[in-house]
Amino acid sequence: MPEGDTVWQAARRLHDALAGKVLIRSDLRVPRFATADLTGRTVRDVTARGKHLLTRIDGGLTLHSHLRMDGSWKVYDNGRRWTGGPGHQIRAILGNTDHTAVGYRLPVLELLRTSDEHRAVGHLGPDLLGPDWDPDRALANVLQDPARELGEALLDQRNLAGIGNVYKSELCFLLGVTPWLPAGDLPADRAAKLPGLAKKLLETNRDRPIRSTTGRRGQDLFVYGRAPRPCLRCRTSIRVADQGDGSRERPTYWCPTCQPGPTPAASPTRRRNRTN
């Protein structure tokens, strides 16, 4: 599942291609909205809200999409061949005289009134890359269930919006705790750093083509995707295990030396390199 910085980049690409221009092509390939025709309307803006994309269109309409694990929006200059996947995976097409935006494998696609956007994103906590960012509220949300594992609390978009498996693992490494630590056991000095550090990670990477949390060229991440390679700090082998109830694949990486605390049974040699 894309993280907040990736979705922010997608919103910027769509905004640059579509905003302020009249749609001359519109095709929503989901049964509920297959007959909707947006041609002749001007796209006002495209905005990211956490991991959600909101394409606002004249007439008080918003096209809401979510990428989840496999979805993507591709932008093409008119006349270029589309390369995002086979035609049967296309769920949305929005085009103007210069560009065409094609949504592939979108598991969530709905057309709603702009005044009803709260139905789609009203449940989200403060957005790490949005104007509503509130560090105090975000931290209070994360800590509201002291027994909950910190990694799970960070992934809960109702607490703060934008963190996925990559940043969950990297943030816990930088805080020096395991993702399985109960949120209420996070030392107060580290808890105070959490909101600012999380925001810094996403803001630093929202304009980068390659995500980096280390500042080291060729060694972009401290732990995520690095099992069983040695920790960049202490040389201990990085470990990996799934976190959560098993309903989703959530590989979680940590250094057993740099991150003391509770851990599950884990295989040090299991390799997972999918980004979230």
Side-chain angles (χ1 to χ4, degrees):
M1 184 181 293
E3 315 237 350
D5 54 349
T6 303
V7 177
W8 190 91
Q9 291 172 8
R12 183 174 62 179
R13 288 194 300 271
L14 289 168
H15 182 88
D16 290 346
L18 301 176
K21 298 179 181 179
V22 176
L23 294 173
I24 62 172
R25 184 171 184 182
S26 163
D27 188 0
L28 305 182
R29 299 182 181 179
V30 293
R32 184 179 174 189
F33 302 105
T35 61
D37 184 6
L38 302 174
T39 58
R41 298 176 185 261
T42 300
V43 175
R44 291 174 48 220
D45 66 80
V46 184
T47 299
R49 180 73 173 86
K51 299 183 182 184
H52 299 252
L53 285 164
L54 303 171
T55 302
R56 299 184 178 112
I57 302 164
D58 273 353
L61 297 176
T62 294
L63 185 64
H64 166 234
S65 57
H66 195 297
L67 307 180
R68 290 192 181 162
M69 285 296 295
D70 300 315
S72 68
W73 277 98
K74 303 290 186 182
V75 175
Y76 302 98
D77 293 336
N78 287 347
R80 277 191 56 200
R81 186 170 67 90
W82 300 352
T83 57
H88 70 267
Q89 294 182 347
I90 295 174
R91 297 293 176 266
I93 302 171
L94 299 175
N96 54 44
T97 55
D98 299 311
H99 302 97
T100 301
V102 185
Y104 290 90
R105 301 171 298 278
L106 299 174
V108 175
L109 185 70
E110 61 174 342
L111 191 63
L112 62 156
R113 304 296 303 181
T114 300
S115 58
D116 291 333
E117 284 182 0
H118 63 277
R119 289 183 21 234
V121 297
H123 65 288
L124 298 176
D127 186 346
L128 282 154
L129 295 177
D132 70 320
W133 174 242
D134 182 337
D136 294 333
R137 180 182 159 211
L139 181 59
N141 288 347
V142 169
L143 300 180
Q144 65 184 334
D145 183 353
R148 192 177 191 186
E149 294 173 354
L150 179 61
E152 287 291 285
L154 292 174
L155 284 181
D156 190 335
Q157 303 300 295
R158 296 169 298 181
N159 291 337
L160 68 172
I163 290 179
N165 269 349
V166 178
Y167 284 122
K168 174 193 76 173
S169 295
E170 295 295 295
L171 185 57
C172 287
F173 176 83
L174 292 169
L175 291 172
V177 297
T178 73
W180 291 272
L181 181 79
D185 290 349
L186 185 65
D189 60 332
R190 300 184 207 185
K193 295 177 182 178
L194 190 157
L197 184 56
K199 183 173 179 61
K200 181 180 179 181
L201 288 177
L202 268 73
E203 278 194 334
T204 299
N205 284 289
R206 70 180 183 183
D207 294 315
R208 289 179 173 174
I210 299 176
R211 182 181 291 131
S212 175
T213 59
T214 66
R216 305 180 188 185
R217 182 174 297 179
Q219 296 176 324
D220 300 310
L221 302 175
F222 282 108
V223 291
Y224 190 86
R226 297 195 68 251
R229 286 176 283 174
C231 174
L232 297 180
R233 286 183 176 171
C234 72
R235 310 307 292 173
T236 301
S237 291
I238 298 299
R239 303 217 171 191
V240 58
D242 284 326
Q243 184 173 25
D245 59 9
S247 60
R248 300 182 187 179
E249 219 179 332
R250 286 181 171 171
T252 301
Y253 297 81
W254 80 101
C255 170
T257 299
C258 295
Q259 296 171 257
T263 61
S267 169
T269 58
R270 181 179 175 195
R271 292 181 183 272
R272 290 281 190 82
N273 291 309
R274 293 181 65 179
T275 56
N276 185 23

